[in-house]
Amino acid sequence: MSATDASLEGFYRRAGRIIPWCMGAALVLFVVGFYLGFFVCPIEARQGNSYRIIFIHIPSAWLAMSLYLLMAVCSIVGLLKNSRLAFILAQAMAPTGALMGFIALFSGAFWGRPTWGTYWVWDARLTSMLILFFLYLGFIALHAAIDDKRRADQAASVISIVGAVNVPIIYFSVRWWNTLHQGASITSRGSSIADIMLYTIFIMLAAGTIYGVGVVLSRARTMILERERRSDWTRRAAQEGTL
């Protein structure tokens, strides 16, 4: 067995043990966070109950941006070290990142309607977030359009690496430009929201992050089996019933 095959097999088996714990922890945290956010947290003085969408909106936006940066890092590692595992992880992150980007845009639109009086404006943050969503779709589409997995990995990596510059633009857009989108409520200097709201956001962030880890690992395992279906270790594992 080659070193690469051993690395993929080791990752496959370790990920299989981690995934159930991730999904279980994410479910518990999500239930707790959802209950606190929609049944315990007080009504906000200016926005009423409409603000509660932040407990979905913030974690999804955070996950969309974080996964894109991680995808770019994996792409760089894959190109520099010719690492199949790094390329697989980058590809595995894209669908979840795109889904989180869509949820962030969708939830933001419903939050914007009662707050701004419209579902959409070409605001700096909204526009840059929409660009991030399209970058995810471009990465997925380009990868699917090329049959040779090695060439597909290399070509799609260019999108993820170049597009990574958009992530800090999303984050700092409310500081750099005059924008309708509100500034950060949580900074290094403290928080401008009630403690129970802050704790609930952190719980939902943890739930989203752990869920993202579990889903990415699960998708990566599927991709490993697809790419390595002719290797000795996958055939042996299939015969032993340990896949």
Side-chain angles (χ1 to χ4, degrees):
M1 181 185 297
S2 68
T4 300
D5 287 342
S7 174
L8 290 175
E9 181 182 6
F11 173 86
Y12 180 89
R13 298 192 184 281
R14 287 193 297 273
R17 292 191 291 268
I18 294 171
I19 290 169
W21 291 97
C22 286
M23 303 311 282
L27 178 60
V28 171
L29 288 169
F30 178 79
V31 170
V32 172
F34 186 88
Y35 175 75
L36 291 175
F38 289 87
F39 297 100
V40 176
C41 287
I43 298 175
E44 209 273 333
R46 288 177 295 179
Q47 299 184 42
N49 280 315
S50 66
Y51 88 95
R52 297 183 192 277
I53 198 70
I54 68 172
F55 301 121
I56 302 297
H57 179 71
I58 292 178
S60 58
W62 159 260
L63 202 55
M65 293 188 292
S66 300
L67 282 174
Y68 198 93
L69 288 178
L70 288 173
M71 191 172 76
V73 170
C74 286
S75 296
I76 292 172
V77 172
L79 290 174
L80 294 179
K81 297 192 174 183
N82 195 27
S83 169
R84 281 192 288 171
L85 180 56
F87 283 132
I88 288 171
L89 286 173
Q91 186 184 1
M93 292 175 192
T96 301
L99 175 62
M100 292 299 116
F102 175 80
I103 293 174
L105 290 167
F106 190 79
S107 59
F110 274 86
W111 188 14
R113 176 59 177 164
T115 305
W116 301 334
T118 182
Y119 289 110
W120 181 265
V121 291
W122 291 101
D123 174 271
R125 175 161 285 182
L126 273 67
T127 303
S128 53
M129 194 68 194
L130 181 63
I131 291 172
L132 182 72
F133 176 64
F134 286 142
L135 285 169
Y136 272 123
L137 295 185
F139 180 96
I140 296 169
L142 182 58
H143 215 291
I146 303 175
D147 293 330
D148 187 323
K149 294 298 184 183
R150 187 177 297 274
R151 289 180 54 239
D153 288 335
Q154 294 171 347
S157 293
V158 176
I159 293 179
S160 63
I161 294 170
V162 173
V165 71
N166 186 55
V167 175
I169 292 175
I170 296 173
Y171 184 80
F172 290 108
S173 58
V174 293
R175 301 184 190 179
W176 292 344
W177 295 289
N178 183 23
T179 171
L180 279 176
H181 198 287
Q182 69 184 63
S185 299
I186 306 169
T187 66
S188 58
R189 295 185 297 274
S191 168
S192 61
I193 60 178
D195 288 344
I196 185 63
M197 298 178 186
L198 180 64
Y199 300 149
T200 303
I201 288 175
F202 283 145
I203 290 172
M204 293 297 276
L205 281 171
T209 301
I210 296 172
Y211 166 80
V213 171
V215 170
V216 168
L217 290 179
S218 179
R219 188 175 291 111
R221 291 180 88 236
T222 301
M223 291 176 178
I224 288 173
L225 287 183
E226 179 185 354
R227 295 191 183 202
E228 303 298 311
R229 60 186 179 274
R230 294 187 178 87
S231 65
D232 293 336
W233 73 266
T234 54
R235 292 176 180 175
R236 185 175 64 253
Q239 292 172 354
E240 296 171 353
T242 57
L243 284 179

